[in-house]
Amino acid sequence: MMWIPIDRKMKKSLIRQVYEQIRTQILKGKLNSGERLPSTRELSSNLNVSRNVVLEAYEQLYAEGFIESNQGRGTFVAEGAYLEQNTKHNSSIYDEKRQPIEASDEDIIDFRSGIPALDFFPRKKWGQISRDVYLESPDSIFGYGKPEGLSQIRNVLCEYLFKTRGVHCSPAQVVITTGATQSFSLVTQLLLSQESDVCIEDPTTYELHSIFAATGAHLCPIPVDEHGMQTDLIPTNINPGFVYVTPSHQFPLGGILPIHRRIQLIQYARQHNCFIVEDDYDSEYRFEGSPISSIQGLDPERVIYIGTFSKILSPALRIGYIILPDSLIERCKNLKWLTDLHTPSLEQLTMSRFIDEGYLERHIRKMKKIYKKRRDCLKECLVEHFGIEVNILGDSTGLHLIAEFENLSFTEEIVQHILKEHKVKIYPVEHHAIHKGRHRNKIILGYGNLEEEKLDKGIWRLKSGLK
């Protein structure tokens, strides 16, 4: 009988407790590959919890590749889900080508990805907290701050990320940045030089090609499939400065990196003495099941975790963060100081109170419902107008999906024709690819900042343009 202690007094949900304990037993090898798990009915009876609790925990484990189901035989631990543990354990107290939108033509329907619903920004609550911060803060908050950021927001972030993403860190490991772009710039300066190699997903956002290549480093593109980076294709004859991944929602194709590939990635980083840079840019908005756990929680000393509030709240806030291994903290703080001294303190304090008082989680719950409706509307419009000619990919998480068309190639001429003649702005996946020619029939359709009426009109215009 599987032993899983349940604490009903914990703030953590019963689903999360069951999921995390089974996950831990698999990672540590206490549950071996191929071992049969109890049925949901049996386990719910043993634990004295609702069967739905176990069902949802199993569904999350299945989504992340920890378990697999064999109809008629039961549920089993998947192959490759054991991760050898380091002897050093984290001692944290928390162990428990996208272009700017041009305003020249308001009639343009812009399917740019990564833009949240700006009309739903919580202006009233943010304004109230900001007012209190300005009126109640001590005089010292108006002076120069520390490059790593205020202790208030770093403390709150550690608790929030541990609870929601499984990130293990202490406040000392957190550096607050002026958005994710600065985070990547700092990491690049820390780890890359003219002779460096850097392994990145292909395709991935084209801005990062420029940031990583600015040091003169050599880009090693690793192909992506429906499950994310193909980790078995990372070259073994190089020693990269780091490997860049978007494991919880690959940009742009939308795959979720399964556990056996995450473990392969960690083993590669250990063998080649390099770091993994984990970009967790929009995984809060997952529409099926709970958010996928971070790679950082598997090996905090090998993973640099980067996040931002641009996709959750607004790009205008310019607040991001890096979670660093201990060995990189001081160098990163020095680089941050040389770059801009520190991220604006009053905005940091407002954000820390917004999170600490529960408003961020409320906002996310509200927006998940809105984004799900918009996603469903976009899918329905694509099927209605294109039928079997379109295949929809990567729609389980985030603020965009991929539309893959039969017998189409989205050349620059076609994209410009659709923009100029039909007032629709679309973004080919090919634009983000290093190796060209593999994704010519795919486009990225962002829906976060488009109302359902505009989504419908935009797809109708797209169909007219493609004729």
Side-chain angles (χ1 to χ4, degrees):
M1 181 178 70
M2 184 184 296
W3 169 245
I4 297 177
I6 296 295
D7 186 351
R8 299 179 187 275
K9 295 180 181 179
M10 286 181 68
K11 291 183 179 179
K12 188 180 296 182
S13 71
L14 295 177
I15 295 169
R16 193 74 188 176
Q17 290 184 53
V18 173
Y19 153 79
E20 286 184 349
Q21 293 193 63
I22 296 177
R23 177 180 180 271
T24 299
Q25 290 187 39
I26 293 172
L27 286 170
K28 291 184 176 180
K30 293 181 180 178
L31 289 172
N32 299 315
S33 299
E35 186 171 338
R36 189 177 186 279
L37 298 181
S39 69
T40 56
R41 194 180 304 278
E42 178 186 353
L43 187 55
S44 64
S45 175
N46 291 340
L47 301 179
N48 195 25
V49 297
S50 163
R51 188 183 176 199
N52 286 337
V53 169
V54 180
L55 275 170
E56 291 196 40
Y58 273 26
E59 285 173 7
Q60 185 71 12
L61 291 163
Y62 177 78
E64 297 184 24
F66 283 97
I67 63 175
E68 53 194 18
S69 179
N70 189 316
Q71 191 170 7
R73 294 185 59 223
T75 303
F76 300 83
V77 178
E79 292 292 331
Y82 165 66
L83 176 65
E84 183 179 350
Q85 302 298 304
N86 279 338
T87 54
K88 180 181 178 180
H89 295 285
N90 188 278
S91 58
S92 163
I93 62 170
Y94 300 102
D95 277 345
E96 203 211 13
K97 182 173 186 177
R98 283 181 285 173
Q99 299 289 339
I101 295 176
E102 299 172 2
S104 58
D105 192 337
E106 292 183 359
D107 192 40
I108 290 176
I109 296 176
D110 192 334
F111 280 100
R112 179 179 176 180
S113 63
I115 304 293
L118 302 179
D119 53 331
F120 279 95
F121 180 80
R123 297 187 188 202
K124 184 176 180 180
K125 181 52 63 179
W126 188 268
Q128 289 172 350
I129 296 175
S130 295
R131 179 181 179 276
D132 292 344
V133 164
Y134 275 80
L135 293 176
E136 299 170 5
S137 296
D139 294 344
S140 58
I141 204 71
F142 294 91
Y144 289 110
K146 294 180 179 180
E148 64 269 30
L150 297 177
S151 60
Q152 291 94 324
I153 190 170
R154 291 185 291 117
N155 286 328
V156 166
L157 264 177
C158 286
E159 295 180 2
Y160 172 76
L161 292 173
F162 176 71
K163 182 171 69 172
T164 61
R165 308 295 297 112
V167 171
H168 290 257
C169 67
S170 67
Q173 293 174 264
V174 182
V175 172
I176 304 299
T177 62
T178 310
T181 301
Q182 185 181 66
S183 298
F184 291 118
S185 179
L186 291 172
V187 168
T188 300
Q189 293 177 67
L190 276 172
L191 299 176
L192 299 183
S193 65
Q194 283 194 342
E195 301 303 320
S196 298
D197 293 304
V198 54
C199 295
I200 67 172
E201 299 168 333
D202 186 22
T204 196
T205 177
Y206 85 98
E207 291 105 332
L208 290 178
H209 304 176
S210 303
I211 294 173
F212 296 161
T215 59
H218 174 249
L219 302 182
C220 298
I222 312 301
V224 168
D225 62 15
E226 67 272 21
H227 301 298
M229 177 183 278
Q230 298 183 59
T231 49
D232 56 334
L233 299 182
I234 303 176
T236 58
N237 59 344
I238 63 170
N239 290 300
F242 59 81
V243 181
Y244 168 83
V245 285
T246 51
S248 297
H249 184 224
Q250 199 280 327
F251 183 88
L253 298 185
I256 297 170
L257 198 67
I259 185 60
H260 71 275
R261 291 193 186 183
R262 294 176 183 229
I263 289 174
Q264 281 183 341
L265 196 54
I266 291 171
Q267 290 171 339
Y268 180 92
R270 291 176 179 177
Q271 291 164 6
H272 290 76
N273 194 29
C274 69
F275 292 96
I276 299 163
V277 174
E278 178 176 10
D279 182 1
D280 202 19
Y281 69 98
D282 71 356
S283 61
E284 286 85 0
Y285 295 121
R286 177 165 162 78
F287 305 117
E288 284 87 30
S290 303
I292 301 297
S293 296
S294 66
I295 294 181
Q296 193 271 357
L298 297 174
D299 194 341
E301 287 303 309
R302 281 290 165 198
V303 181
I304 300 167
Y305 182 90
I306 291 177
T308 176
F309 295 102
S310 295
K311 310 298 186 294
I312 306 175
L313 289 168
S314 166
L317 295 177
R318 307 314 306 141
I319 300 179
Y321 50 89
I322 316 176
I323 311 296
L324 294 153
D326 293 335
S327 59
L328 299 176
I329 294 171
E330 289 306 315
R331 287 174 57 207
C332 187
K333 285 161 60 174
N334 289 337
L335 279 173
K336 170 66 177 172
W337 183 84
L338 289 169
T339 303
D340 62 359
L341 295 183
H342 61 86
T343 298
S345 299
L346 294 165
E347 283 77 358
Q348 290 185 58
L349 203 51
T350 302
M351 180 64 78
S352 69
R353 288 184 57 176
F354 191 79
I355 299 171
D356 193 38
E357 294 172 16
Y359 296 111
L360 180 64
E361 290 187 79
R362 291 182 205 172
H363 180 74
I364 290 171
R365 285 197 298 270
K366 173 184 175 181
M367 296 312 299
K368 278 180 74 172
K369 296 175 183 176
I370 292 168
Y371 292 141
K372 187 177 186 299
K373 284 184 67 177
R374 294 184 177 184
R375 179 203 66 168
D376 293 345
C377 173
L378 178 56
K379 291 171 66 175
E380 289 168 8
C381 292
L382 285 166
V383 172
E384 178 185 348
H385 289 292
F386 294 102
I388 62 172
E389 296 177 10
V390 68
N391 185 30
I392 297 170
L393 309 171
D395 61 316
S396 68
T397 305
L399 305 180
H400 77 270
L401 56 76
I402 299 298
E404 179 184 47
F405 292 84
E406 294 288 336
N407 305 316
L408 270 179
S409 180
F410 287 93
T411 63
E412 186 62 26
E413 291 77 16
I414 289 177
V415 172
Q416 289 304 315
H417 164 75
I418 292 171
L419 174 61
K420 292 176 181 178
E421 301 299 326
H422 298 274
K423 306 296 184 184
V424 176
K425 198 166 187 180
I426 57 173
Y427 300 83
V429 170
E430 189 76 359
H431 186 65
H432 298 277
I434 297 175
H435 285 148
K436 303 296 184 183
R438 299 173 182 171
H439 305 284
R440 290 175 179 164
N441 64 335
K442 303 183 188 77
I443 56 172
I444 306 165
L445 296 175
Y447 52 81
N449 195 37
L450 292 174
E451 297 171 354
E452 291 169 45
E453 181 183 351
K454 283 192 173 182
L455 291 169
D456 191 13
K457 186 185 292 185
I459 297 304
W460 181 84
R461 290 183 185 179
L462 176 62
K463 182 179 181 180
S464 301
L466 290 176
K467 281 185 178 179

